[in-house]
Amino acid sequence: MHHTTPLITTIVGGLVLAFVLGMLAQRLRISPLVGYLLAGVLAGPFTPGFVADTNLAPELAELGVILLMFGVGLHFSMKDLMAVKAIAIPGAIAQIVVATLLGWGLAWSMEWPIMTGLVFGLCLSTASTVVLLRALEERQLIDSQRGQIAIGWLIVEDLVMVLALVLLPAIAGMLEQGNASASLLAWDLLLTIGKVAAFMVLMMVVGRRVVPWILAKSAATGSRELFTLAVLALALGIALGAVEFFDVSFALGAFFAGMVLNESELSHRAAHDTLPLRDAFAVLFFVSVGMLFDPMILVEQPLAVLGALAIVVIGKSAAAWLLVTLLGHSRRTALTISVSLAQIGEFAFILAGLGISLNLLSEEGRNLVLAAAILSIMLNPILFSLLERYLARAESKADRTADVPADEEQQIPVDVCNHAVIVGYGRVGSLLGISLIESEVPMVVVENSRPRIEALREQGISAVLGNAARAETMQLARLDCARWLIITIPNGYESGEVVTAARAKYPDLTIIARAHYDDEVSYIFDRGANQVIMGEREIAGSMLKLLQQELDTKPLVQACPI
């Protein structure tokens, strides 16, 4: 099919197919990710009908990776990164070595050359940023110890892949020219490490001051669109600059851009404003992966596909589980990390493409990598669901609190009753909190942002880190003896989940929630809230009261003066 507008056609076609198949997957009680991947297969060149632009789709998907990693950086401080370095660095490196050797073994069994096998194994060794973060976000694990380790592990993997992308051309040249290129290989390695270090230092020293200053200036204009534009310009601009000037990946560049903004008061607003774009482009990532997949590989080489998939899902997982266990962490953490890494993604495709251009990997090898990626991404949500069921059945309460130093798992119930539980401490929650403190009303704040929780505790305010929709979190907040539950988070449907969970256990509790739209008001009321405050209605009501006061003191003159 000929397209005169390939960019628009690719975006519209990809999103429409993803929506239709994502809804179908949801109705069938499977992950929407499966629908997004199948949408890509349908939009790809290997199936009849609509064919999207296979050159544009990966670039659009890269935008999703950039925005997603920027959002992660907004919730991930240098302190968090350093806290997991003892496990993330040796664990990620050892896991990459194990997976690469397993891939090389499979390639050897198919009589591929040694270098082809090593490149193939390297492609199977790295996990997908988007898949991992989606899984952690859905389960509210990003701020947990397990989530921090998984993200730190991923950052180390990305750094190793950056080195691999630089060294592969040098290795290919060395194979062609002989040992004379060994010095060039060492020089390229040192140069790459120096560039990465220079970028990190620049972001930590200069970026930590400049980035928050730019956002503060844009926020001071009072223009929401200028602030959102500033956030996008910084995230995308720093990511592109990291690639162009330091040979660092887009993902790492965006991650550090978000991390230097983490300490700013505007970080929460920046994360909120970029969320819709992050979600949309993350969907395009999965569509673009599906577009690269040729389903015929499943028929032509089923055993090779199963072998590659086994390396990704079983081999990598087993290696990660063993490494995390040997480093002294609990079964719960080890299993979560192993399942998190049981898939491959964006760096695998980049490495495979580079391998083909350098004649270090065949088309057959790339097709196997893509098949393993598609199937492992489809299986990953299922593995997470099985893990959650297993942990819920097999673990005792002591097991669930065994991980240290996970702040949210070390928490003890607050020592207060007849209090207000405030869910969310953004602009609305903080204003309400100040008023309650002035009125000497006891309160407990429930938040899923670790920096915000730490700041509240430093102020002497009782705070609980976790998801308010979960019973164990609200037990820590002593909802059982609270007088009010006040939900100030801006997402009405998330508020509805919290209301549902609270009302089911505490039928006499007074629940007050916030909403933005009429349908959210009805949704939250239906789930048991006593009162739902819609900001726009309150503003209109306050304005009407002011007008009424003015009319009471100065009646309206019906006739207009001539």
Side-chain angles (χ1 to χ4, degrees), residues 7 11 56-71 129-130 133 231-233 235-237 239-240 250-251 254-255 274-286 288 346:
L7 177 62
I11 293 176
L56 283 175
E59 292 192 39
L60 293 171
E62 196 71 64
L63 289 173
V65 175
I66 292 171
L67 294 173
L68 202 65
M69 288 302 289
F70 179 72
T129 300
V130 181
L133 295 179
V231 174
L232 293 175
L236 299 176
L240 181 61
F250 284 114
F255 174 79
T274 57
L275 184 61
L277 279 174
R278 276 187 280 157
D279 287 343
F281 282 106
V283 169
L284 286 177
F285 165 79
F286 293 104
S288 71
E346 49 270 21

Side-chain angles (χ1 to χ4, degrees), residues 93-307:
I93 293 174
Q95 178 251 300
I96 288 173
V97 171
V98 170
T100 301
L101 291 176
L102 289 173
W104 174 82
L106 178 61
W108 175 80
S109 69
M110 295 186 289
E111 300 182 351
W112 290 0
I114 293 177
M115 278 307 302
T116 298
L118 289 177
V119 173
F120 176 69
L122 201 59
C123 290
L124 300 181
S125 69
T126 177
S128 166
T129 300
V130 181
V131 175
L132 174 63
L133 295 179
R134 271 298 181 86
L136 295 178
E137 283 180 343
E138 287 176 1
R139 291 158 182 83
Q140 300 289 326
L141 289 176
I142 283 186
D143 284 320
S144 69
Q145 184 200 25
R146 294 174 286 159
Q148 300 286 307
I149 293 173
I151 293 171
W153 194 298
L154 198 73
I155 297 302
V156 176
E157 279 193 355
D158 285 356
L159 287 170
V160 173
M161 292 304 115
V162 168
L163 291 176
L165 290 173
V166 174
L167 293 180
L168 276 180
I171 293 173
M174 187 173 66
L175 292 175
E176 293 179 1
Q177 301 173 17
N179 293 331
S181 297
S183 59
L184 178 62
L185 181 64
W187 169 249
D188 283 342
L189 177 61
L190 291 174
L191 184 62
T192 302
I193 294 174
K195 286 181 177 180
V196 172
F199 172 73
M200 293 173 66
V201 170
L202 181 66
M203 292 303 298
M204 291 297 102
V205 176
V206 180
R208 182 172 286 179
R209 294 172 174 82
V210 174
V211 172
W213 180 81
I214 292 174
L215 279 189
K217 289 295 183 182
S218 63
T221 64
S223 171
R224 181 175 179 178
E225 58 266 28
L226 278 177
F227 179 80
T228 304
L229 185 61
V231 174
L232 293 175
L234 285 169
L236 299 176
I238 291 174
L240 181 61
V243 173
E244 294 294 328
F245 300 111
F246 297 95
D247 291 326
V248 178
S249 69
F250 284 114
L252 279 175
F255 174 79
F256 278 100
M259 198 162 66
V260 298
L261 184 58
N262 175 270
E263 299 173 6
S264 169
E265 291 294 328
L266 295 168
S267 61
H268 182 74
R269 180 178 169 188
H272 180 266
D273 285 1
T274 57
L275 184 61
L277 279 174
R278 276 187 280 157
D279 287 343
F281 282 106
V283 169
L284 286 177
F285 165 79
F286 293 104
V287 174
S288 71
V289 172
M291 287 171 59
L292 297 171
F293 181 56
D294 183 359
M296 288 305 297
I297 190 73
L298 300 174
V299 178
E300 296 171 355
Q301 299 189 52
L303 294 179
V305 170
L306 288 175

